[in-house]
Amino acid sequence: MNRIEEAMVLADRCWQKAHRAEPLFVESYLASAEDLLVNRPIVMGDDFKEHCRRGMIFLPKTLHHNTWVSGVRALNIIGWIEPISKVEPVQRHNHMESVTLWKSKIFGGGQVSRPQLGLFDE
């Protein structure tokens, strides 16, 4: 397994832990992401965390900070977003040199498929 594949496996495990340990956080994160994606056609990867912060949704201390990244991966897996390109981050909390620019696949509302929260359970 190469380094990228290992990172993806770890991201899924991080989301699994979040779902088991803090299901209310996961539900709040998904509701915040849905609100953002229904109202904006294009979203930068670091906007998800910032939108949560503005909505007073904070990462519980029981979860690793990489849960933010694994949450975006979950949104991609459930089909709410698709990657466009890499761009320079703009949010103050970001320490990465680039983030993914995402196209919302649920922009404008309509039928939003609700993810199975057990999607990442082993």
Side-chain angles (χ1 to χ4, degrees), residues 49-68:
K49 180 179 178 182
E50 185 63 19
H51 192 67
C52 282
R53 185 190 67 75
R54 286 191 301 268
M56 303 303 288
I57 300 166
F58 302 103
L59 189 69
K61 298 209 181 295
T62 55
L63 299 178
H64 191 274
H65 62 87
N66 284 345
T67 302
W68 292 117

Side-chain angles (χ1 to χ4, degrees), residues 37-48:
L37 293 167
V38 164
N39 292 295
R40 290 183 38 199
I42 305 294
V43 179
M44 291 179 65
D46 55 354
D47 284 341
F48 294 101

Side-chain angles (χ1 to χ4, degrees), residues 85-100:
S85 65
K86 294 285 188 182
V87 295
E88 187 175 329
V90 296
Q91 300 300 340
R92 61 185 170 90
H93 66 266
N94 200 312
H95 62 277
M96 304 298 290
E97 62 184 49
S98 69
V99 296
T100 302

Side-chain angles (χ1 to χ4, degrees), residues 80 105-106 108-114:
W80 286 9
K105 294 172 77 177
I106 62 171
Q111 190 70 12
V112 177
S113 63
R114 297 302 300 166

Side-chain angles (χ1 to χ4, degrees), residues 7-23:
M8 295 300 135
V9 169
L10 290 174
D12 292 345
R13 286 185 185 153
C14 193
W15 197 246
Q16 288 169 0
K17 180 182 178 188
H19 171 245
R20 283 192 309 273
E22 301 288 349

